Amino acid sequence: MTKPPPTTTPDGRYLVVEGRLWRRSNPALGPRQRDLLVAALMRARADVGRAKRAHDVAAERRARQRVHRAKVGLGERGPPWWTDGTPDLNRRLVRNTPYAAWFQGLP
């Protein structure tokens, strides 16, 4: 049985996963740029796993830095990609945000 995709906030800024907001990628990225960043992210995540299995702390740190850079490039970390001044609520519980009433009203 496949899981349904995560719920997206009405403004498209966040995914809701287990009651927590996670910033979505910047929709203004071009498909090629997005594909390159996602590929870099996946390689870096795989390298984190390899480094952990090898107990190589230095390699794990470098791989995690690459994960971070890819996520910043995608807009999932770092400064928010929207420009209307709305604060970033990344990683917050949805019930403690302005999205709480919307989320409670979902089926």
Side-chain angles (χ1 to χ4, degrees):
M1 185 162 101
T2 59
K3 288 197 308 188
T7 302
T8 302
T9 57
D11 57 14
R13 292 178 180 168
Y14 303 96
L15 298 173
V16 181
V17 180
E18 295 182 9
R20 191 169 297 274
L21 297 172
W22 295 94
R23 195 186 319 164
R24 294 186 68 206
S25 297
N26 184 345
L29 291 175
R32 176 153 169 72
Q33 185 180 18
R34 179 179 166 71
D35 289 348
L36 289 170
L37 287 165
V38 168
L41 175 61
M42 294 300 107
R43 282 191 308 273
R45 283 181 170 165
D47 289 346
V48 167
R50 276 190 284 279
K52 286 179 78 166
R53 288 188 297 278
H55 305 288
D56 186 337
V57 175
E60 182 182 347
R61 185 173 35 253
R62 288 189 305 272
R64 287 188 185 279
Q65 288 169 346
R66 290 177 26 235
V67 167
H68 179 72
R69 283 194 305 269
K71 287 185 138 308
V72 168
L74 286 164
E76 295 174 12
R77 291 185 184 162
W81 44 261
W82 52 90
T83 58
D84 64 4
T86 303
D88 185 16
L89 303 172
N90 196 34
R91 298 183 179 185
R92 300 238 172 86
L93 292 174
V94 70
R95 70 174 181 243
N96 297 329
T97 72
Y99 298 103
W102 160 79
F103 188 66
Q104 275 196 314
L106 293 176

